[in-house]
Coordinates of all heavy atoms in Angstrom, one line a residue:
I1 N -5.0 8.5 -11.3 CA -6.3 8.6 -10.7 C -6.3 7.5 -9.6 O -6.3 6.3 -9.9 CB -7.4 8.3 -11.7 CG1 -7.4 9.3 -12.8 CG2 -8.8 8.3 -10.9 CD1 -8.5 9.1 -13.8
G2 N -6.2 7.9 -8.3 CA -6.1 7.0 -7.2 C -4.9 6.1 -7.3 O -3.8 6.5 -7.4
H3 N -5.2 4.8 -7.4 CA -4.2 3.7 -7.5 C -3.6 3.5 -8.9 O -2.7 2.7 -9.1 CB -4.7 2.4 -7.0 CG -5.1 2.4 -5.6 ND1 -4.4 3.1 -4.6 CD2 -6.2 1.9 -4.9 CE1 -5.0 3.0 -3.4 NE2 -6.1 2.2 -3.6
F4 N -4.2 4.2 -9.9 CA -3.9 4.0 -11.3 C -3.0 5.1 -11.9 O -3.1 6.2 -11.5 CB -5.2 3.9 -12.1 CG -6.2 2.9 -11.6 CD1 -7.3 3.4 -10.9 CD2 -6.0 1.6 -11.8 CE1 -8.2 2.5 -10.3 CE2 -7.0 0.7 -11.3 CZ -8.0 1.2 -10.5
I5 N -2.1 4.7 -12.8 CA -1.1 5.6 -13.4 C -0.6 5.0 -14.7 O -0.8 3.8 -14.9 CB 0.0 5.9 -12.4 CG1 0.8 7.1 -12.7 CG2 0.9 4.6 -12.2 CD1 1.7 7.6 -11.6
N6 N 0.1 5.8 -15.5 CA 0.7 5.2 -16.7 C 1.9 4.4 -16.3 O 2.8 4.9 -15.7 CB 1.1 6.4 -17.6 CG 1.7 5.9 -18.9 OD1 2.8 5.6 -19.0 ND2 0.9 5.8 -20.0
G7 N 1.9 3.1 -16.8 CA 3.0 2.2 -16.4 C 4.3 2.6 -16.8 O 5.3 2.6 -16.0
K8 N 4.5 3.0 -18.1 CA 5.8 3.3 -18.6 C 6.3 4.6 -18.0 O 7.5 4.7 -17.7 CB 5.7 3.4 -20.1 CG 5.5 2.1 -20.9 CD 5.5 2.3 -22.4 CE 5.3 1.0 -23.1 NZ 5.3 1.1 -24.6
E9 N 5.5 5.6 -17.8 CA 6.0 6.8 -17.3 C 6.4 6.8 -15.8 O 7.3 7.4 -15.4 CB 4.9 7.9 -17.5 CG 4.6 8.3 -18.9 CD 3.7 9.5 -19.1 OE1 3.5 10.2 -18.1 OE2 3.2 9.7 -20.2
Q10 N 5.7 5.9 -15.0 CA 6.1 5.8 -13.6 C 7.4 5.1 -13.5 O 8.3 5.5 -12.7 CB 5.0 5.1 -12.8 CG 4.8 3.7 -13.1 CD 3.9 3.0 -12.0 OE1 3.9 3.4 -10.9 NE2 3.1 2.0 -12.5
L11 N 7.7 4.2 -14.4 CA 9.0 3.5 -14.4 C 10.1 4.4 -14.9 O 11.3 4.3 -14.5 CB 9.0 2.2 -15.2 CG 8.1 1.1 -14.6 CD1 8.1 -0.2 -15.5 CD2 8.5 0.7 -13.2
A12 N 9.8 5.3 -15.8 CA 10.7 6.3 -16.3 C 11.2 7.2 -15.2 O 12.4 7.6 -15.2 CB 10.1 7.0 -17.5
V13 N 10.3 7.6 -14.3 CA 10.6 8.4 -13.2 C 11.5 7.7 -12.2 O 12.5 8.2 -11.7 CB 9.3 9.0 -12.5 CG1 9.7 9.7 -11.2 CG2 8.6 10.0 -13.4
L14 N 11.1 6.5 -11.9 CA 11.7 5.7 -10.8 C 13.1 5.2 -11.2 O 14.0 5.0 -10.4 CB 10.8 4.6 -10.4 CG 9.5 4.9 -9.7 CD1 8.6 3.7 -9.5 CD2 9.7 5.6 -8.4
G15 N 13.3 4.8 -12.5 CA 14.5 4.2 -12.9 C 14.6 2.8 -12.4 O 13.6 2.1 -12.4
S16 N 15.8 2.3 -12.0 CA 16.0 1.0 -11.6 C 15.2 0.7 -10.3 O 15.5 1.3 -9.2 CB 17.4 0.7 -11.3 OG 17.6 -0.6 -10.7
T17 N 14.2 -0.2 -10.4 CA 13.4 -0.5 -9.2 C 14.2 -1.4 -8.2 O 13.8 -1.4 -7.0 CB 12.1 -1.2 -9.6 OG1 12.4 -2.4 -10.3 CG2 11.2 -0.3 -10.4
E18 N 15.2 -2.0 -8.7 CA 16.0 -2.9 -7.8 C 16.7 -2.1 -6.7 O 16.8 -2.6 -5.6 CB 17.1 -3.6 -8.6 CG 17.8 -4.7 -8.0 CD 16.8 -5.9 -7.7 OE1 15.8 -6.0 -8.5 OE2 17.0 -6.6 -6.7
K19 N 17.1 -0.8 -7.0 CA 17.7 0.0 -5.9 C 16.7 0.3 -4.8 O 17.0 0.3 -3.6 CB 18.2 1.3 -6.5 CG 19.3 1.2 -7.5 CD 19.8 2.5 -8.1 CE 21.0 2.3 -9.0 NZ 21.5 3.6 -9.5
S20 N 15.4 0.5 -5.2 CA 14.4 0.8 -4.1 C 14.1 -0.5 -3.3 O 13.9 -0.4 -2.1 CB 13.1 1.3 -4.8 OG 13.3 2.5 -5.4
K21 N 14.1 -1.6 -4.0 CA 13.9 -2.9 -3.3 C 15.0 -3.1 -2.3 O 14.8 -3.6 -1.2 CB 13.9 -4.0 -4.3 CG 12.6 -4.1 -5.1 CD 12.6 -5.3 -6.1 CE 11.4 -5.4 -6.9 NZ 11.4 -6.6 -7.8
N22 N 16.2 -2.8 -2.7 CA 17.4 -3.0 -1.8 C 17.3 -2.1 -0.5 O 18.0 -2.3 0.4 CB 18.7 -2.8 -2.5 CG 19.0 -3.8 -3.5 OD1 18.5 -4.9 -3.5 ND2 19.8 -3.5 -4.5
L23 N 16.4 -1.1 -0.6 CA 16.2 -0.2 0.5 C 15.0 -0.5 1.3 O 14.4 0.4 2.0 CB 16.2 1.3 0.0 CG 17.6 1.8 -0.6 CD1 17.4 3.1 -1.3 CD2 18.6 1.9 0.5
G24 N 14.5 -1.7 1.1 CA 13.3 -2.1 1.9 C 12.0 -1.8 1.4 O 11.0 -1.9 2.1

């Protein structure tokens, strides 16, 4: 809903956030 989402599920989709950080 807007800016809010299930925390665990969004990280499950994204995987390693470090890779996204390395891409700016």
Side-chain angles (χ1 to χ4, degrees):
I1 300 178
H3 299 319
F4 307 101
I5 197 169
N6 182 278
K8 291 183 179 179
E9 290 188 17
Q10 68 171 328
L11 293 181
V13 169
L14 295 171
S16 172
T17 58
E18 196 64 30
K19 294 182 178 181
S20 295
K21 287 182 179 180
N22 291 338
L23 294 170

